[in-house]
Amino acid sequence: MYLRLLLLTLLTGHSTSEVILSICRYALGMYDRTIRDEDITASSQWYESTGPQFARLQREEGDGAWCPAGLLQPEDVQFLQIHLHKLYFITLIGTQGRHARATGKEFARSYRVDYSRNGDRWLSWKDHQGQQIIKGNVDEYEVVLNDLRPPIIASHIRVIPVTKVPMTVCMRVELYGCAWYDGLKSYSIPEGETYMAPGHPIAYLNDSTYDGYLGRRLFDGLGQLTDGVLGLDDFTQSHQYRVWPGYDYVGWKNESTRNGYVEVEFQFDRPRNFTSMKVHCNNKFTKGVKIFQRAECLFKSRQQSDWEPESVGVVTVLDDKNPSSRFVIIPLQQRVGSFILCRFYFADTWMMFSEISFQSGNALLTIMLRQQREPLAPTTINHMVKHDEPKTSVLIGCLVAIILLLVVIIVLILWKQYIQKRLEKAPRRILEEDATVRLSFYSYTIGNNNQTQIHQSNPTYERIFPLDLDYQQPTKPLRKLPELSQSAEDSGKRNLTKSTPHQGFQNSVPHYAETDIVNLQGVTGNNMYAVPALTVDSLTKKDISVGEFPRNQLRMKEKLGEGQFGEVHLCEVEGLQDFLEMSSSDCSNQPVLVAVKMLRANVTKTARNDFLKEIKIISRLKHPNIIRLLGVCVRDDPLCMITEYMENGDLNQFLSQREIRSQFTTANNIPSVSLHNLLYMATQIASGMKYLASLNFVHRDLATRNCLVGNNHTLKIADFGMSRNLYSGDYYRIQGRAVLPIRWMAWESILLGKFTTSSDVWAFGVTLWEMFTLCKEQPYSVLSDEQVIENTGEFFRDQGRQVMI
Ligand SMILES: *[C@@H]1O[C@H](CO)[C@@H](O)[C@H](O)[C@H]1NC(C)=O
Ligand SMILES: *[C@@H]1O[C@H](CO)[C@@H](O)[C@H](O)[C@H]1NC(C)=O
Ligand SMILES: *[C@@H]1O[C@H](CO)[C@@H](O)[C@H](O)[C@H]1NC(C)=O
């Protein structure tokens, strides 16, 4: 699986520029009545029996559709209004005429759409060319689907039939899209500028779909920064629309700003607890365009109040090597507010953004529980837009692929050997393990949720995939997606907490490493390694095998992270070699860096016990590629454990500040790594993971942020990434209870809470991807957290709709 995943990613590069538009296509509930009758109104109706509540696509109720009163005149504005109660990202609209079991014959040949985000200010939708009129139906029964490009972000929609000659019209309607998880109501930016350079086409970098007020500063609207379309590497090129150069970007020139920054203000629907913000930037440095050099953001909760003085921000690593456009992540450190003001500082003459998105907590993890139903509108084959971007260096791509293949083969061989050994050695245990699979906290969370509530809060269901404009034949019988409905029925009937794996994938996933898992509550609120119960028992009976370290010899240098129960510090110690009674061949008793996990003094007894258990377990791990426990302080509070740390910090930061070694980097003294170095580090990770697997330990959070780099590219696997603010955007928080590294998790871990050696292998695949892309981006960076989770559903269904990294 990960072979395909890796090769695909590395060879095609980032091909998914319109993923959001292609994923976000769920019917919003006209057909299935999640939109209630009272939320469908109209400017008028012909009779009671053709009232607005009968405007439901594919239904034949009342007299079969909504019909406005009288003959529709060319100058009339008659509308059908749908109130969605919260903001939705609407990508598609479906219309149908009045068929009424062959007695009707009215339909709307064309229509337009108005929308509102507050029910008060109404705006007219326009396409990229500024056209409002959408081609509607040609007969009284066929459904016609129209993509909305740009999509609409709104809570109220009006569908307005349009006619050239007086005539009777009737309509049935469905809206398609998804909840607008960002919650962004408007942004305010300085007007975009025009790029002019000798010998270069003029590029118009204005926000041409902005729907608020225009002027020197745009305000109270949304536009190209939220349209789901990412700009290409060359900012003068655009996606498929026949528009002017620079269309996908909004850009500014340093010269026209007074202080060297651009100020952007964001307004949200309600106070949110923000994890991170992602800004998609152009980096065509040869044309004077770069990502921002740093960003600072301020927060406030009410319009009138002042900005809270404390800012959060990021200083970026500038890149003079790779001209591709990219997402830059700004960690927002769980700050709360409904308004954010960010300053983006220029790193070059120009700065160009094509998309901005936000990740904030509180989103219910309900997507996967969505009940699947029969498709309402005909489902055509999915066409995920894949633009194969020519890579700057095909050669590097090929080399990487070859090396990866080797790595993968080595790893496969190692795993195979390991599995064989296990099969030979412990057939009895496997049987036992098969019998009891206790799922971890994840499904426990699901089990605790009230299903009906979930369905109310997320009234979306079947997703449809017509991306091309030539649509369907609705008279054809609707094709059911068997696996899909099957799986939904299963999960509807079954209590997930107790479930064993679905039939559907029992064949494909051997559960050779499922264990009766003991979850340890790690010191910083993370869940530590999952360890087989047997092992825990045997281990915890023994004494702690490392010595008590004199606390006063620890010199704090830096806080690495913190969590619910404690903190992780980077410390310096002297005399460590003496303490460890290491042979004093390198008798340099120099200060050494260590990481110190410290439990707060006032925590619960369970947390204390878990901490002691964690110490006992970690103290058994002895492998050159696993961070080792060096000592503990358990005589008095606060309890702490001292582990190795490596001088070059974590692998994520290490790689993100480097380029692939080339003559260019060598000549210019640019920090770099060679492919050989990367391969060497990858094999060390594989080796450490193999060791963990041999003990039946499941790491559950393998990622570059959890690998530490020492001298000469030596590498050790650690586990404190989760506690670090820097990486909070890599974790998804379920209702404040558990945090999950969803972008690194195999689908069965996300959907069923199954963490096994196999899911560690998946994470290893993602880690390799990170390494060979030098950690320049998050995995699936174009997807929001919710979409990542949704995507795992596609991995499960495996109908080719899943988005690869
Ligand atoms: C943006 O620039 C284009 C090209 O000059 C122009 O046609 C369009 O009206 C502008 N749109 C806005 C909203 O300023
Ligand atoms: C941008 O302009 C400001 C002042 O106008 C100047 O201080 C700063 O150095 C400029 N930045 C770049 C990257 O040119
Ligand atoms: C924001 O969310 C984090 C994680 O759930 C939580 O620890 C923090 O207390 C929240 N902040 C506020 C002010 O609610």
Side-chain angles (χ1 to χ4, degrees):
M1 177 72 93
Y2 59 90
L3 174 93
R4 188 170 52 151
L5 187 128
L6 280 164
L7 292 183
L8 231 157
T9 344
L10 282 160
L11 294 179
T12 60
H14 299 112
S15 50
T16 44
S17 44
E18 294 196 347
V19 172
I20 297 141
L21 296 180
S22 57
I23 285 187
C24 211
R25 305 170 82 81
Y26 295 99
L28 298 186
M30 288 294 277
Y31 169 79
D32 86 331
R33 300 182 167 278
T34 21
I35 297 173
R36 291 167 306 172
D37 282 349
E38 59 265 38
D39 292 328
I40 311 171
T41 52
S43 52
S44 72
Q45 63 193 43
W46 192 297
Y47 290 118
E48 284 294 299
S49 57
T50 53
Q53 69 274 26
F54 302 118
R56 298 179 183 278
L57 197 85
Q58 299 278 38
R59 289 204 176 257
E60 293 277 6
E61 292 161 345
D63 270 337
W66 162 68
C67 314
L71 283 183
L72 188 70
Q73 303 293 330
E75 68 276 8
D76 275 358
V77 181
Q78 294 276 1
F79 58 81
L80 175 77
Q81 179 171 329
I82 302 167
H83 182 14
L84 297 165
H85 290 280
K86 56 178 188 170
L87 292 177
Y88 279 85
F89 188 80
I90 301 164
T91 55
L92 189 70
I93 190 162
T95 56
Q96 201 178 13
R98 188 177 85 91
H99 184 52
R101 294 175 198 85
T103 60
K105 54 180 184 352
E106 302 83 5
F107 54 92
R109 285 188 187 276
S110 46
Y111 61 99
R112 57 190 188 84
V113 176
D114 281 3
Y115 62 96
S116 172
R117 288 193 266 277
N118 55 12
D120 198 20
R121 185 161 147 247
W122 288 87
L123 301 156
S124 292
W125 176 85
K126 295 191 210 64
D127 71 7
H128 292 291
Q129 276 79 25
Q131 298 299 318
Q132 294 187 4
I133 306 292
I134 301 173
K135 273 224 179 74
N137 298 87
V138 292
D139 56 40
E140 63 275 18
Y141 50 87
E142 258 185 51
V143 176
V144 171
L145 296 169
N146 277 295
D147 270 301
L148 295 171
R149 300 293 171 84
I152 294 176
I153 297 164
S155 54
H156 299 70
I157 292 287
R158 281 178 183 168
V159 179
I160 305 164
V162 177
T163 181
K164 287 207 183 93
V165 291
M167 67 185 287
T168 324
V169 298
C170 296
M171 292 186 90
R172 286 178 282 169
V173 173
E174 180 67 277
L175 305 173
Y176 302 85
C178 56
W180 177 233
Y181 295 114
D182 285 42
L184 187 63
K185 261 168 63 183
S186 71
Y187 61 78
S188 158
I189 51 172
E191 189 180 33
E193 300 180 62
T194 304
Y195 181 97
M196 280 183 271
H200 192 273
I202 294 181
Y204 300 95
L205 301 162
N206 58 1
D207 191 342
S208 45
T209 61
Y210 195 76
D211 62 12
Y213 300 99
L214 306 178
R216 289 302 307 277
R217 207 176 161 87
L218 317 182
F219 64 97
D220 212 13
L222 297 172
Q224 289 190 292
L225 297 184
T226 52
D227 65 356
V229 179
L230 305 182
L232 302 175
D233 294 352
D234 179 353
F235 59 88
T236 57
Q237 299 294 312
S238 184
H239 287 281
Q240 58 264 61
Y241 321 110
R242 270 177 232 101
V243 279
W244 55 85
Y247 185 80
D248 291 334
Y249 285 98
V250 182
W252 307 273
K253 196 161 45 173
N254 191 14
E255 255 174 41
S256 6
T257 66
R258 211 168 315 134
N259 336 8
Y261 59 76
V262 168
E263 217 168 54
V264 183
E265 190 178 331
F266 303 93
Q267 184 182 359
F268 294 85
D269 53 353
R270 57 182 165 80
R272 286 170 174 261
N273 187 335
F274 291 98
T275 311
S276 62
M277 168 176 171
K278 294 202 273 191
V279 185
H280 192 260
C281 310
N282 190 277
N283 197 47
K284 192 100 183 148
F285 56 87
T286 50
K287 300 276 193 281
V289 190
K290 265 206 206 116
I291 66 169
F292 51 90
Q293 167 210 118
R294 70 190 163 95
E296 275 170 12
C297 299
L298 296 171
F299 297 77
K300 69 179 180 184
S301 290
R302 245 165 293 129
Q303 180 100 55
Q304 284 80 20
S305 48
D306 290 332
W307 295 101
E308 293 163 17
E310 203 188 323
S311 68
V312 298
V314 73
V315 177
T316 61
V317 182
L318 294 177
D319 180 351
D320 278 331
K321 189 75 208 303
N322 181 352
S324 52
S325 56
R326 67 203 57 199
F327 269 112
V328 181
I329 298 182
I330 306 172
L332 297 179
Q333 308 196 356
Q334 309 300 145
R335 287 284 295 272
V336 176
S338 348
F339 295 84
I340 302 184
L341 177 70
C342 292
R343 287 180 179 164
F344 298 94
Y345 287 84
F346 284 88
D348 210 323
T349 323
W350 281 90
M351 191 157 65
M352 298 179 189
F353 297 166
S354 75
E355 194 75 8
I356 298 187
S357 67
F358 291 86
Q359 309 268 292
S360 56
N362 309 338
L364 283 178
L365 186 89
T366 54
I367 302 155
M368 294 331 303
L369 295 176
R370 172 182 302 122
Q371 204 162 359
Q372 304 287 356
R373 302 167 205 199
E374 274 184 54
L376 327 176
T379 308
T380 57
I381 312 290
N382 164 34
H383 311 270
M384 283 284 179
V385 195
K386 297 237 172 201
H387 308 274
D388 284 3
E389 288 160 25
K391 276 276 133 182
T392 35
S393 157
V394 176
L395 194 67
I396 289 190
C398 290
L399 270 176
V400 168
I402 290 165
I403 289 170
L404 263 178
L405 258 175
L406 284 176
V407 174
V408 165
I409 289 167
I410 293 170
V411 173
L412 282 179
I413 291 170
L414 293 181
W415 284 119
K416 222 175 175 165
Q417 277 179 353
Y418 148 68
I419 291 160
Q420 256 166 14
K421 248 201 264 158
R422 257 198 69 157
L423 284 173
E424 280 158 23
K425 270 209 302 225
R428 195 186 53 86
R429 187 149 52 160
I430 288 172
L431 283 178
E432 264 172 29
E433 286 164 6
D434 276 347
T436 51
V437 182
R438 198 199 317 157
L439 297 178
S440 61
F441 62 90
Y442 187 80
S443 43
Y444 156 68
T445 313
I446 293 174
N448 266 1
N449 273 325
N450 177 334
Q451 296 257 337
T452 50
Q453 218 171 27
I454 288 159
H455 289 301
Q456 274 167 8
S457 65
N458 200 341
T460 51
Y461 45 99
E462 179 55 36
R463 184 165 59 161
I464 60 170
F465 284 93
L467 261 183
D468 287 340
L469 286 161
D470 50 333
Y471 287 131
Q472 71 308 304
Q473 293 299 319
T475 34
K476 266 195 240 157
L478 302 178
R479 206 156 50 83
K480 204 175 165 191
L481 305 171
E483 302 93 307
L484 223 117
S485 333
Q486 187 56 45
S487 75
E489 274 163 33
D490 284 359
S491 60
K493 279 189 217 132
R494 197 183 301 185
N495 182 348
L496 272 177
T497 335
K498 289 195 237 108
S499 70
T500 45
H502 284 288
Q503 306 285 51
F505 56 83
Q506 222 147 21
N507 308 333
S508 54
V509 181
H511 21 130
Y512 53 83
E514 276 156 16
T515 45
D516 199 2
I517 286 165
V518 171
N519 288 309
L520 289 180
Q521 178 69 67
V523 57
T524 45
N526 57 349
N527 51 289
M528 282 278 318
Y529 300 113
V531 182
L534 271 177
T535 322
V536 173
D537 283 349
S538 67
L539 283 180
T540 48
K541 282 193 194 101
K542 298 181 187 151
D543 285 335
I544 296 174
S545 64
V546 293
E548 176 81 14
F549 190 81
R551 193 185 289 277
N552 54 15
Q553 285 183 27
L554 293 172
R555 259 201 324 262
M556 305 260 181
K557 276 185 66 108
E558 189 188 324
K559 184 152 97 182
L560 287 177
E562 74 180 307
Q564 208 178 344
F565 300 109
E567 295 178 350
V568 185
H569 288 267
L570 183 62
C571 296
E572 220 172 44
V573 288
E574 276 174 54
L576 187 67
Q577 282 87 345
D578 290 345
F579 171 75
L580 295 173
E581 291 160 8
M582 298 214 299
S583 63
S584 40
S585 57
D586 60 335
C587 53
S588 60
N589 232 338
Q590 277 183 352
V592 178
L593 285 181
V594 294
V596 179
K597 281 193 195 176
M598 214 176 278
L599 192 70
R600 290 207 179 92
N602 56 352
V603 294
T604 59
K605 204 143 185 248
T606 327
R608 267 183 94 85
N609 280 339
D610 274 358
F611 191 74
L612 292 173
K613 256 190 220 164
E614 184 181 344
I615 289 179
K616 285 180 184 165
I617 289 163
I618 305 290
S619 69
R620 305 286 147 174
L621 297 179
K622 297 222 163 69
H623 187 272
N625 301 116
I626 303 281
I627 284 291
R628 197 156 69 97
L629 184 68
L630 300 171
V632 292
C633 318
V634 290
R635 295 234 172 93
D636 46 10
D637 279 335
L639 303 187
C640 55
M641 64 176 109
I642 301 161
T643 63
E644 290 177 301
Y645 195 77
M646 311 276 277
E647 51 271 46
N648 282 325
D650 72 75
L651 181 58
N652 189 287
Q653 287 198 296
F654 181 81
L655 291 181
S656 63
Q657 291 161 7
R658 281 170 171 72
E659 293 296 332
I660 289 286
R661 185 161 302 158
S662 63
Q663 282 177 348
F664 180 82
T665 60
T666 319
N668 293 284
N669 245 338
I670 295 169
S672 61
V673 285
S674 66
L675 288 174
H676 176 262
N677 299 150
L678 287 175
L679 181 58
Y680 175 51
M681 292 191 284
T683 52
Q684 293 178 76
I685 299 178
S687 157
M689 292 308 290
K690 184 186 164 228
Y691 171 74
L692 287 183
S694 73
L695 296 176
N696 257 339
F697 279 31
V698 181
H699 186 289
R700 310 218 281 191
D701 193 14
L702 179 63
T704 53
R705 63 181 171 276
N706 267 330
C707 298
L708 300 179
V709 185
N711 264 334
N712 293 325
H713 303 98
T714 52
L715 184 143
K716 292 182 193 234
I717 300 166
D719 68 348
F720 22 77
M722 199 175 281
S723 58
R724 304 184 60 182
N725 261 336
L726 187 60
Y727 297 118
S728 59
D730 289 346
Y731 294 93
Y732 182 74
R733 192 170 289 274
I734 310 171
Q735 297 174 282
R737 285 222 244 162
V739 285
L740 296 172
I742 49 171
R743 289 165 200 269
W744 283 260
M745 281 164 69
W747 60 264
E748 74 272 15
S749 309
I750 294 191
L751 298 185
L752 303 165
K754 248 167 68 116
F755 290 89
T756 59
T757 300
S758 317
S759 59
D760 270 357
V761 176
W762 179 288
F764 177 62
V766 181
T767 307
L768 284 180
W769 176 87
E770 285 186 274
M771 292 177 71
F772 284 91
T773 55
L774 297 185
C775 303
K776 299 292 188 241
E777 268 183 36
Q778 232 186 356
Y780 310 99
S781 64
V782 296
L783 302 189
S784 71
D785 285 349
E786 287 76 16
Q787 286 159 349
V788 168
I789 293 166
E790 215 153 275
N791 193 36
T792 59
E794 298 297 352
F795 271 114
F796 165 56
R797 287 171 211 137
D798 199 19
Q799 293 168 330
R801 291 176 187 167
Q802 57 269 48
V803 178
M804 301 294 179
I805 286 190

